[in-house]
Amino acid sequence: MTLALAGRVLSGRRLTRGELAVADGRIADGAPRGARRALPDGWIVAPALVDLQLNGYAGVEVDGGPEALARIAAALPAIGVTAFCPTLISRSEAGYRRAATALSGCANWPPREWPIGTSPAARVLGVHLEGPFLAPERAGVHPVVALRDPTPGGVDRLLEAFAPAIVTLAPERPGGLEAVRRIARRGVVASVGHTEADARTGRAAIAAGARLLTHALNAMPGIESRRPSALAAFLADPRPCVSLIADGVHVAPEVAAVVARAAGRRLVLVSDAVAAAGAPPGRYRLGRRAVVSDGRRVEWRGRLAGSALGLDEGARTLSGAGVAAAAALTAATWAPRRLLGLPGLEPGAPADLVVLDASLVPRLTLVGGVVALADAALPFDVPEVGAPV
């Protein structure tokens, strides 16, 4: 079957007038005239959102086993997300073994050939290991007792157990820069976060192969006039990406907009969502921590403990703070794809698409050409959820 969506198309960081065609679950060069569907003024068709830092969603955590992961994957397309990295905060050696068992065989990583026309659920990418090689002074909700130095053996054990997509660590820890090199040599994204590093150490980490900064401004020094931090180093260097939780809680919208403009096309929005996201206010768990959500803010003993909001909220927050819609959406769509080497909108790529209205609210989501979200506000008919277009 064939569908062509005509209107504003997000291509790179630009919105252009055009047409995006889907045939047999893949992006196509064109479509018959009868397959064309015009989008309302202001609506956008874009590559679907990709979340590189997601601890949980829809009431469950990513390490809750195959059923929990399936529940998360089924819920995410409603907010336009069709791929995500299950994210693990720091834990004991036994805790990592349990998590590796729970996640074993769940991820399609690395993505050699994504399934087409088989499921409306979001794709599970490689794990994001947020820790345990973090700075105790910037632990946040991570258990300090679980933090450790990145020895070669310790790094290798985690890489073998999880085959992760991303590892976040503090490069100033003893062995930190060698760990960055070790991780990068394996083709894994080494990311700097939960760190006290200054700009000099930040630059050294980039030189060693770090390609990402984890949630800018959170769990790290900010930017001061005469004490440059790792954040300043990553924003100043044109090579690495910078991730940001733009939920309006972790970083004030005005400040998030400043980071977005400084990072430009290197900005990667992440949700840092926990089990409370996509679920009612109440009590949830993050690892072994009991956290409380009011539906927007999640706390553990007065500290922020992830987010109760999804990745789509980040794009809307940036847009509301004055960042161009194209730039805000790019940070949640194209930028994470480039970082992990995922397909975009080239002909033959899987049709993982989202249609958003003028307020950047997802109205239609496709996963490999299968309808995963079909909002009642759509101005044209599409097959029911679970069916190919």
Side-chain angles (χ1 to χ4, degrees):
M1 299 186 66
T2 306
L3 173 70
L5 299 167
R8 294 203 300 172
V9 180
L10 180 69
S11 180
R13 282 172 58 86
R14 298 173 58 235
L15 284 171
T16 59
R17 302 293 302 185
E19 182 177 292
L20 193 59
V22 177
D24 299 322
R26 298 183 182 276
I27 305 299
D29 281 323
R33 182 175 297 275
R36 186 173 294 115
R37 302 290 184 269
L39 299 180
D41 288 344
W43 286 37
I44 298 168
V45 58
L49 282 60
V50 176
D51 197 343
L52 302 188
Q53 188 166 358
L54 186 134
N55 308 272
Y57 198 79
V60 294
E61 291 188 272
V62 297
D63 60 350
E67 290 185 2
L69 211 56
R71 179 170 168 177
I72 293 169
L76 286 173
I79 59 170
V81 174
T82 64
F84 67 101
C85 288
T87 302
L88 301 176
I89 67 167
S90 304
R91 58 200 65 206
S92 66
E93 292 280 5
Y96 278 114
R97 287 194 294 272
R98 288 192 295 270
T101 299
L103 292 167
S104 176
C106 292
N108 180 15
W109 188 256
R112 295 180 179 88
E113 182 65 29
W114 284 11
I116 298 295
T118 58
S119 170
R123 306 179 192 279
V124 183
L125 303 176
V127 170
H128 179 167
L129 294 174
E130 190 184 7
F133 313 123
L134 310 179
E137 304 90 342
R138 298 288 179 169
V141 75
H142 291 247
V144 174
V145 69
L147 305 184
R148 64 203 79 157
D149 291 333
T151 64
V155 171
D156 286 348
R157 281 193 296 275
L158 285 177
L159 293 179
E160 291 298 328
F162 291 97
I166 304 170
V167 177
T168 291
L169 75 163
E172 73 273 19
R173 291 200 72 134
L177 292 176
E178 176 54 34
V180 170
R181 284 188 282 269
R182 203 173 194 89
I183 292 163
R185 281 197 298 265
R186 296 283 289 268
V188 177
V189 174
S191 187
V192 169
H194 286 269
T195 178
E196 279 287 320
D198 59 12
R200 181 178 181 180
T201 305
R203 290 192 296 271
I206 295 169
R211 297 169 55 202
L212 180 66
L213 183 80
T214 293
H215 49 52
L217 291 168
N218 291 114
M220 65 183 63
I223 295 180
E224 298 183 30
S225 58
R226 290 179 295 279
R227 297 180 61 188
S229 62
L231 170 60
F234 272 77
L235 287 174
D237 193 298
R239 295 169 293 175
C241 291
V242 174
S243 80
L244 178 72
I245 308 169
D247 59 1
V249 176
H250 280 75
V251 179
E254 299 88 345
V255 180
V258 171
V259 173
R261 294 188 176 99
R265 67 175 58 250
R266 299 177 297 118
L267 182 72
V268 176
L269 288 184
V270 296
S271 71
D272 199 26
V274 297
R283 295 183 177 275
Y284 297 89
R285 298 205 68 81
L286 177 57
R288 292 185 174 272
R289 307 294 201 198
V291 299
V292 180
S293 167
D294 64 4
R296 185 174 183 85
R297 185 182 182 94
V298 184
E299 291 187 351
W300 172 73
R301 296 182 178 178
R303 300 181 184 180
L304 282 176
S307 181
L309 301 172
L311 187 60
D312 58 326
E313 187 70 25
R316 290 193 291 273
T317 297
L318 285 184
S319 178
V323 175
L329 279 178
T330 294
T333 58
W334 285 102
R337 278 179 163 79
R338 282 195 299 266
L339 181 65
L340 294 190
L342 305 180
L345 296 181
E346 62 272 17
D352 287 15
L353 303 176
V354 62
V355 173
L356 308 105
D357 66 17
S359 298
L360 303 186
V361 174
R363 300 297 186 181
L364 173 67
T365 306
L366 303 181
V367 183
V370 173
V371 178
L373 165 71
D375 192 273
L378 277 176
F380 48 81
D381 292 332
V382 295
E384 63 183 11
V385 170
V389 297

Coordinates of all heavy atoms in Angstrom, one line a residue, residues 1 3 23 55 109 154 182 216 271 305:
M1 N 0.8 -1.2 0.0 CA 0.0 0.0 0.0 C 0.9 1.2 0.0 O 2.0 1.2 0.4 CB -0.9 0.0 1.2 CG -1.9 -1.2 1.3 SD -3.1 -1.1 2.6 CE -4.0 0.4 2.1
L3 N 1.1 5.7 0.6 CA 0.6 6.9 1.2 C 1.6 8.0 0.9 O 2.8 7.8 1.0 CB 0.4 6.8 2.7 CG 0.0 8.0 3.5 CD1 -1.4 8.4 3.1 CD2 0.1 7.8 5.0
A23 N 5.8 3.4 0.8 CA 5.3 2.3 0.1 C 5.9 1.0 0.6 O 7.1 1.0 0.9 CB 5.6 2.4 -1.4
N55 N 14.5 5.9 31.2 CA 14.6 4.9 32.3 C 13.3 4.1 32.5 O 13.3 3.0 33.1 CB 14.9 5.7 33.6 CG 16.0 6.6 33.5 OD1 17.2 6.2 33.8 ND2 15.8 7.9 33.2
W109 N 20.1 -4.3 18.2 CA 21.3 -3.4 18.2 C 22.6 -4.2 17.9 O 22.8 -5.2 18.5 CB 21.4 -2.7 19.6 CG 22.5 -1.7 19.7 CD1 23.7 -1.8 20.2 CD2 22.4 -0.4 19.1 NE1 24.4 -0.6 20.0 CE2 23.7 0.2 19.3 CE3 21.4 0.3 18.4 CZ2 23.9 1.5 18.9 CZ3 21.7 1.6 17.9 CH2 23.0 2.2 18.2
G154 N 36.5 -3.6 34.6 CA 35.1 -3.2 34.9 C 34.4 -2.6 33.7 O 33.2 -2.9 33.5
R182 N 38.6 3.5 25.6 CA 38.2 2.0 25.5 C 36.8 1.9 25.0 O 36.5 1.0 24.1 CB 38.3 1.4 26.9 CG 38.5 -0.1 26.9 CD 38.8 -0.5 28.3 NE 39.3 -1.9 28.3 CZ 40.6 -2.2 28.2 NH1 41.5 -1.3 28.1 NH2 41.0 -3.5 28.2
A216 N 22.9 18.4 29.7 CA 23.6 19.6 29.9 C 22.9 20.4 31.1 O 21.7 20.5 31.2 CB 23.6 20.5 28.7
S271 N 14.5 12.7 27.1 CA 13.4 12.9 28.1 C 13.9 12.6 29.5 O 13.4 13.3 30.4 CB 12.3 12.0 27.8 OG 12.6 10.6 28.0
A305 N 14.5 13.4 40.1 CA 14.7 12.0 39.9 C 14.2 11.6 38.5 O 13.2 10.8 38.5 CB 14.2 11.1 41.0

